Amino acid sequence: MSIVSASTTNSTAYQVSADTTGQLVFQTGSGPTEAVRINANGYLGIGTTNPSYILDTAGTVAQIARFARSNGQAQLSIEGVSGSSVISFGDGSAIGNTPVWSIGRKNSDNSFRINYNEASLDTTNYVTINTGGLVGIGTNTPQANLHIGTVAYY
């Protein structure tokens, strides 16, 4: 099934189509060119023809997403139920590679952690801030306002 519309004045068009695999495709422009896809799993792809996540975006511009509010506080929530909440930054060599840096809330103790080369926030933590406000550098369990490594307390 397809829905097609074309303008006679500027030769632009849009097309919405569903294929036999259960994917819904939105196309725009004079080509037309695919802009958005919803696959059979319900994953939404913008700029990708094969979305692998609930929301999967790809593009060649530097800013691929923007969340804005015209007045008041803007908030973006990342919530892990029965798990940690993590934002990971890739290594830049390929999409989908192991994250190099991760920040987030560790589920087991609700601490905030900055981590290197691991998305689970378990072993390679460089900075940990616990729920009491104690800061640990090189330790996951700070025991003072500033706890550095295994021997220095400040």
Side-chain angles (χ1 to χ4, degrees):
M1 180 198 84
S2 288
I3 300 171
V4 178
S5 174
S7 169
T8 57
T9 58
N10 62 11
S11 71
T12 60
Y14 69 86
Q15 180 173 331
V16 179
S17 61
D19 64 17
T20 58
T21 64
Q23 299 193 64
L24 184 60
V25 179
F26 298 83
Q27 297 175 315
T28 61
S30 60
T33 304
E34 182 171 324
V36 176
R37 174 181 296 259
I38 302 172
N39 70 14
N41 295 324
Y43 294 173
L44 174 67
I46 301 172
T48 178
T49 60
N50 188 23
S52 300
Y53 304 93
I54 293 171
L55 174 60
D56 198 347
T57 65
T60 57
V61 296
Q63 183 177 342
I64 59 168
R66 178 178 179 217
F67 304 93
R69 181 175 174 186
S70 62
N71 62 347
Q73 175 181 320
Q75 179 176 326
L76 175 64
S77 295
I78 299 174
E79 302 175 2
V81 177
S82 298
S84 298
S85 303
V86 181
I87 299 173
S88 296
F89 302 90
D91 71 0
S93 65
I95 304 251
N97 279 3
T98 301
V100 174
W101 286 98
S102 299
I103 59 172
R105 180 197 59 86
K106 179 67 178 164
N107 183 56
S108 61
D109 62 5
N110 282 321
S111 63
F112 180 81
R113 298 183 180 191
I114 299 174
N115 182 282
Y116 182 74
N117 212 25
E118 175 191 17
S120 63
L121 303 177
D122 284 329
T123 56
T124 52
N125 298 304
Y126 287 100
V127 176
T128 300
I129 304 171
N130 70 16
T131 57
L134 303 181
V135 177
I137 299 174
T139 178
N140 295 343
T141 54
Q143 303 298 310
N145 287 334
L146 179 59
H147 180 162
I148 300 175
T150 59
V151 295
Y153 294 88
Y154 299 95

